[in-house]
PDB file of all heavy atoms in Angstrom:
ATOM      1  N   GLY A  29      71.339 183.070 393.042  1.00 83.00           N
ATOM      2  CA  GLY A  29      72.290 182.315 392.205  1.00 83.00           C
ATOM      3  C   GLY A  29      71.560 181.571 391.093  1.00 83.00           C
ATOM      4  O   GLY A  29      70.423 181.127 391.268  1.00 83.00           O
ATOM      5  N   LEU A  30      72.236 181.446 389.953  1.00 88.00           N
ATOM      6  CA  LEU A  30      71.585 180.788 388.814  1.00 88.00           C
ATOM      7  C   LEU A  30      71.971 179.323 388.684  1.00 88.00           C
ATOM      8  O   LEU A  30      71.430 178.610 387.851  1.00 88.00           O
ATOM      9  CB  LEU A  30      71.972 181.514 387.513  1.00 88.00           C
ATOM     10  CG  LEU A  30      71.571 182.983 387.404  1.00 88.00           C
ATOM     11  CD1 LEU A  30      71.868 183.509 386.008  1.00 88.00           C
ATOM     12  CD2 LEU A  30      70.101 183.167 387.713  1.00 88.00           C
ATOM     13  N   ILE A  31      72.937 178.873 389.495  1.00 93.00           N
ATOM     14  CA  ILE A  31      73.458 177.528 389.285  1.00 93.00           C
ATOM     15  C   ILE A  31      73.133 176.591 390.456  1.00 93.00           C
ATOM     16  O   ILE A  31      72.397 175.628 390.300  1.00 93.00           O
ATOM     17  CB  ILE A  31      74.987 177.580 389.052  1.00 93.00           C
ATOM     18  CG1 ILE A  31      75.322 178.534 387.898  1.00 93.00           C
ATOM     19  CG2 ILE A  31      75.557 176.175 388.803  1.00 93.00           C
ATOM     20  CD1 ILE A  31      74.764 178.144 386.534  1.00 93.00           C
ATOM     21  N   VAL A  53      76.672 171.182 386.242  1.00 96.00           N
ATOM     22  CA  VAL A  53      77.547 172.290 385.859  1.00 96.00           C
ATOM     23  C   VAL A  53      78.977 172.057 386.347  1.00 96.00           C
ATOM     24  O   VAL A  53      79.938 172.281 385.619  1.00 96.00           O
ATOM     25  CB  VAL A  53      76.991 173.618 386.420  1.00 96.00           C
ATOM     26  CG1 VAL A  53      78.022 174.729 386.301  1.00 96.00           C
ATOM     27  CG2 VAL A  53      75.705 174.000 385.692  1.00 96.00           C
ATOM     28  N   PHE A  54      79.093 171.616 387.588  1.00 97.00           N
ATOM     29  CA  PHE A  54      80.424 171.380 388.154  1.00 97.00           C
ATOM     30  C   PHE A  54      80.692 169.878 388.182  1.00 97.00           C
ATOM     31  O   PHE A  54      80.307 169.177 389.110  1.00 97.00           O
ATOM     32  CB  PHE A  54      80.527 171.977 389.557  1.00 97.00           C
ATOM     33  CG  PHE A  54      80.569 173.477 389.542  1.00 97.00           C
ATOM     34  CD1 PHE A  54      79.426 174.225 389.801  1.00 97.00           C
ATOM     35  CD2 PHE A  54      81.747 174.146 389.241  1.00 97.00           C
ATOM     36  CE1 PHE A  54      79.463 175.611 389.774  1.00 97.00           C
ATOM     37  CE2 PHE A  54      81.792 175.530 389.207  1.00 97.00           C
ATOM     38  CZ  PHE A  54      80.651 176.264 389.474  1.00 97.00           C
ATOM     39  N   ILE A 146      85.674 174.303 385.688  1.00 98.00           N
ATOM     40  CA  ILE A 146      84.825 174.164 384.495  1.00 98.00           C
ATOM     41  C   ILE A 146      85.749 174.424 383.301  1.00 98.00           C
ATOM     42  O   ILE A 146      86.206 175.548 383.114  1.00 98.00           O
ATOM     43  CB  ILE A 146      83.649 175.164 384.477  1.00 98.00           C
ATOM     44  CG1 ILE A 146      82.759 174.974 385.702  1.00 98.00           C
ATOM     45  CG2 ILE A 146      82.844 175.016 383.188  1.00 98.00           C
ATOM     46  CD1 ILE A 146      81.549 175.896 385.745  1.00 98.00           C
ATOM     47  N   PHE A 149      86.014 177.756 380.775  1.00 98.00           N
ATOM     48  CA  PHE A 149      84.866 178.522 381.276  1.00 98.00           C
ATOM     49  C   PHE A 149      84.722 179.891 380.602  1.00 98.00           C
ATOM     50  O   PHE A 149      83.648 180.250 380.153  1.00 98.00           O
ATOM     51  CB  PHE A 149      85.016 178.684 382.792  1.00 98.00           C
ATOM     52  CG  PHE A 149      83.819 179.262 383.476  1.00 98.00           C
ATOM     53  CD1 PHE A 149      82.542 178.778 383.225  1.00 98.00           C
ATOM     54  CD2 PHE A 149      83.965 180.294 384.403  1.00 98.00           C
ATOM     55  CE1 PHE A 149      81.439 179.300 383.880  1.00 98.00           C
ATOM     56  CE2 PHE A 149      82.867 180.818 385.059  1.00 98.00           C
ATOM     57  CZ  PHE A 149      81.598 180.320 384.797  1.00 98.00           C
ATOM     58  N   ASP A 205      83.722 184.911 388.729  1.00 97.00           N
ATOM     59  CA  ASP A 205      82.265 185.137 388.802  1.00 97.00           C
ATOM     60  C   ASP A 205      82.053 186.316 389.753  1.00 97.00           C
ATOM     61  O   ASP A 205      81.408 186.183 390.785  1.00 97.00           O
ATOM     62  CB  ASP A 205      81.587 183.857 389.308  1.00 97.00           C
ATOM     63  CG  ASP A 205      80.063 183.922 389.220  1.00 97.00           C
ATOM     64  OD1 ASP A 205      79.531 184.876 388.618  1.00 97.00           O
ATOM     65  OD2 ASP A 205      79.414 183.013 389.769  1.00 97.00           O
ATOM     66  N   LYS A 207      80.323 188.892 389.859  1.00 91.00           N
ATOM     67  CA  LYS A 207      79.137 189.753 389.809  1.00 91.00           C
ATOM     68  C   LYS A 207      78.829 190.266 391.217  1.00 91.00           C
ATOM     69  O   LYS A 207      79.214 189.660 392.216  1.00 91.00           O
ATOM     70  CB  LYS A 207      77.955 189.046 389.159  1.00 91.00           C
ATOM     71  CG  LYS A 207      77.449 187.821 389.832  1.00 91.00           C
ATOM     72  CD  LYS A 207      76.293 187.270 388.991  1.00 91.00           C
ATOM     73  CE  LYS A 207      75.656 186.089 389.663  1.00 91.00           C
ATOM     74  NZ  LYS A 207      74.517 185.579 388.923  1.00 91.00           N
ATOM     75  N   ASN A 210      77.898 188.295 394.371  1.00 95.00           N
ATOM     76  CA  ASN A 210      78.798 187.306 394.980  1.00 95.00           C
ATOM     77  C   ASN A 210      79.717 187.932 396.030  1.00 95.00           C
ATOM     78  O   ASN A 210      80.747 187.366 396.396  1.00 95.00           O
ATOM     79  CB  ASN A 210      79.602 186.572 393.910  1.00 95.00           C
ATOM     80  CG  ASN A 210      78.743 185.496 393.229  1.00 95.00           C
ATOM     81  OD1 ASN A 210      77.808 184.972 393.836  1.00 95.00           O
ATOM     82  ND2 ASN A 210      79.052 185.185 391.986  1.00 95.00           N
ATOM     83  N   ASP A 225      80.791 182.164 396.496  1.00 95.00           N
ATOM     84  CA  ASP A 225      80.744 181.449 395.205  1.00 95.00           C
ATOM     85  C   ASP A 225      82.159 181.208 394.674  1.00 95.00           C
ATOM     86  O   ASP A 225      82.546 181.714 393.611  1.00 95.00           O
ATOM     87  CB  ASP A 225      79.932 182.242 394.173  1.00 95.00           C
ATOM     88  CG  ASP A 225      78.518 181.717 394.067  1.00 95.00           C
ATOM     89  OD1 ASP A 225      78.130 180.915 394.943  1.00 95.00           O
ATOM     90  OD2 ASP A 225      77.813 182.092 393.114  1.00 95.00           O
ATOM     91  N   THR A 228      84.307 178.740 390.976  1.00 98.00           N
ATOM     92  CA  THR A 228      84.942 179.049 389.686  1.00 98.00           C
ATOM     93  C   THR A 228      86.324 179.672 389.876  1.00 98.00           C
ATOM     94  O   THR A 228      86.931 180.122 388.900  1.00 98.00           O
ATOM     95  CB  THR A 228      84.063 180.002 388.842  1.00 98.00           C
ATOM     96  OG1 THR A 228      83.730 181.133 389.645  1.00 98.00           O
ATOM     97  CG2 THR A 228      82.796 179.319 388.370  1.00 98.00           C
ATOM     98  N   ARG A 243      80.483 194.551 384.089  1.00 97.00           N
ATOM     99  CA  ARG A 243      79.217 194.035 383.540  1.00 97.00           C
ATOM    100  C   ARG A 243      78.059 194.202 384.526  1.00 97.00           C
ATOM    101  O   ARG A 243      76.946 194.540 384.131  1.00 97.00           O
ATOM    102  CB  ARG A 243      79.393 192.545 383.183  1.00 97.00           C
ATOM    103  CG  ARG A 243      78.213 191.908 382.488  1.00 97.00           C
ATOM    104  CD  ARG A 243      78.494 190.449 382.177  1.00 97.00           C
ATOM    105  NE  ARG A 243      78.385 189.599 383.338  1.00 97.00           N
ATOM    106  CZ  ARG A 243      77.247 189.125 383.836  1.00 97.00           C
ATOM    107  NH1 ARG A 243      76.100 189.414 383.267  1.00 97.00           N
ATOM    108  NH2 ARG A 243      77.250 188.356 384.912  1.00 97.00           N
ATOM    109  N   GLU A 251      71.051 192.307 385.068  1.00 95.00           N
ATOM    110  CA  GLU A 251      71.019 191.484 383.852  1.00 95.00           C
ATOM    111  C   GLU A 251      69.632 190.895 383.583  1.00 95.00           C
ATOM    112  O   GLU A 251      69.362 190.416 382.487  1.00 95.00           O
ATOM    113  CB  GLU A 251      72.075 190.369 383.928  1.00 95.00           C
ATOM    114  CG  GLU A 251      71.758 189.288 384.945  1.00 95.00           C
ATOM    115  CD  GLU A 251      72.862 188.243 385.149  1.00 95.00           C
ATOM    116  OE1 GLU A 251      73.996 188.432 384.684  1.00 95.00           O
ATOM    117  OE2 GLU A 251      72.556 187.237 385.797  1.00 95.00           O
ATOM    118  N   MET A 300      78.661 186.509 378.373  1.00 98.00           N
ATOM    119  CA  MET A 300      77.367 186.207 378.987  1.00 98.00           C
ATOM    120  C   MET A 300      76.240 186.269 377.970  1.00 98.00           C
ATOM    121  O   MET A 300      75.325 185.440 377.998  1.00 98.00           O
ATOM    122  CB  MET A 300      77.088 187.163 380.154  1.00 98.00           C
ATOM    123  CG  MET A 300      77.962 186.919 381.370  1.00 98.00           C
ATOM    124  SD  MET A 300      78.130 185.182 381.805  1.00 98.00           S
ATOM    125  CE  MET A 300      76.415 184.741 381.911  1.00 98.00           C
ATOM    126  N   ARG A 303      76.383 183.112 376.009  1.00 98.00           N
ATOM    127  CA  ARG A 303      75.939 181.962 376.815  1.00 98.00           C
ATOM    128  C   ARG A 303      74.421 181.982 377.023  1.00 98.00           C
ATOM    129  O   ARG A 303      73.759 180.951 376.932  1.00 98.00           O
ATOM    130  CB  ARG A 303      76.667 181.946 378.158  1.00 98.00           C
ATOM    131  CG  ARG A 303      78.159 181.650 378.034  1.00 98.00           C
ATOM    132  CD  ARG A 303      78.865 181.732 379.378  1.00 98.00           C
ATOM    133  NE  ARG A 303      78.365 180.763 380.344  1.00 98.00           N
ATOM    134  CZ  ARG A 303      78.621 180.820 381.647  1.00 98.00           C
ATOM    135  NH1 ARG A 303      79.368 181.792 382.143  1.00 98.00           N
ATOM    136  NH2 ARG A 303      78.129 179.909 382.461  1.00 98.00           N
ATOM    137  N   TYR A 314      70.722 175.230 380.992  1.00 96.00           N
ATOM    138  CA  TYR A 314      71.818 175.554 381.915  1.00 96.00           C
ATOM    139  C   TYR A 314      71.377 176.509 383.027  1.00 96.00           C
ATOM    140  O   TYR A 314      71.480 176.200 384.201  1.00 96.00           O
ATOM    141  CB  TYR A 314      72.974 176.147 381.101  1.00 96.00           C
ATOM    142  CG  TYR A 314      74.242 176.364 381.893  1.00 96.00           C
ATOM    143  CD1 TYR A 314      75.214 175.378 381.966  1.00 96.00           C
ATOM    144  CD2 TYR A 314      74.481 177.569 382.566  1.00 96.00           C
ATOM    145  CE1 TYR A 314      76.388 175.579 382.684  1.00 96.00           C
ATOM    146  CE2 TYR A 314      75.647 177.776 383.283  1.00 96.00           C
ATOM    147  CZ  TYR A 314      76.592 176.779 383.340  1.00 96.00           C
ATOM    148  OH  TYR A 314      77.746 176.982 384.057  1.00 96.00           O
ATOM    149  N   TYR A 315      70.904 177.667 382.645  1.00 96.00           N
ATOM    150  CA  TYR A 315      70.561 178.686 383.651  1.00 96.00           C
ATOM    151  C   TYR A 315      69.153 178.487 384.169  1.00 96.00           C
ATOM    152  O   TYR A 315      68.233 178.205 383.407  1.00 96.00           O
ATOM    153  CB  TYR A 315      70.637 180.087 383.051  1.00 96.00           C
ATOM    154  CG  TYR A 315      72.035 180.520 382.720  1.00 96.00           C
ATOM    155  CD1 TYR A 315      72.435 180.674 381.407  1.00 96.00           C
ATOM    156  CD2 TYR A 315      72.951 180.758 383.731  1.00 96.00           C
ATOM    157  CE1 TYR A 315      73.719 181.071 381.105  1.00 96.00           C
ATOM    158  CE2 TYR A 315      74.240 181.144 383.441  1.00 96.00           C
ATOM    159  CZ  TYR A 315      74.620 181.304 382.130  1.00 96.00           C
ATOM    160  OH  TYR A 315      75.889 181.681 381.836  1.00 96.00           O
TER     161      TYR A 315
HETATM  162  C1  LIG B 401      76.183 182.069 387.120  1.00 89.29           C
HETATM  163  O1  LIG B 401      75.897 180.934 390.058  1.00 89.29           O
HETATM  164  P1  LIG B 401      75.885 182.359 389.766  1.00 89.29           P
HETATM  165  O2  LIG B 401      74.515 182.895 389.565  1.00 89.29           O
HETATM  166  O3  LIG B 401      76.708 183.170 390.746  1.00 89.29           O
HETATM  167  C2  LIG B 401      77.338 181.645 386.225  1.00 89.29           C
HETATM  168  C3  LIG B 401      78.212 182.845 385.899  1.00 89.29           C
HETATM  169  C4  LIG B 401      77.373 183.925 385.260  1.00 89.29           C
HETATM  170  C5  LIG B 401      76.176 184.258 386.139  1.00 89.29           C
HETATM  171  C6  LIG B 401      75.246 185.196 385.431  1.00 89.29           C
HETATM  172  C7  LIG B 401      79.127 178.476 387.066  1.00 89.29           C
HETATM  173  O4  LIG B 401      76.669 182.523 388.354  1.00 89.29           O
HETATM  174  O5  LIG B 401      79.230 182.474 385.013  1.00 89.29           O
HETATM  175  O6  LIG B 401      78.124 185.082 385.054  1.00 89.29           O
HETATM  176  O7  LIG B 401      75.436 183.075 386.477  1.00 89.29           O
HETATM  177  N1  LIG B 401      78.111 180.622 386.897  1.00 89.29           N
HETATM  178  C8  LIG B 401      78.385 179.470 386.276  1.00 89.29           C
HETATM  179  O8  LIG B 401      74.312 185.676 386.340  1.00 89.29           O
HETATM  180  O9  LIG B 401      78.032 179.233 385.114  1.00 89.29           O
END
Side-chain angles (χ1 to χ4, degrees):
L30 299 187
I31 305 297
V53 168
F54 289 99
I146 301 182
F149 189 48
D205 189 9
K207 62 181 184 177
N210 282 333
D225 261 12
T228 52
R243 185 180 77 81
E251 70 186 12
M300 289 316 306
R303 292 176 62 194
Y314 188 91
Y315 291 111

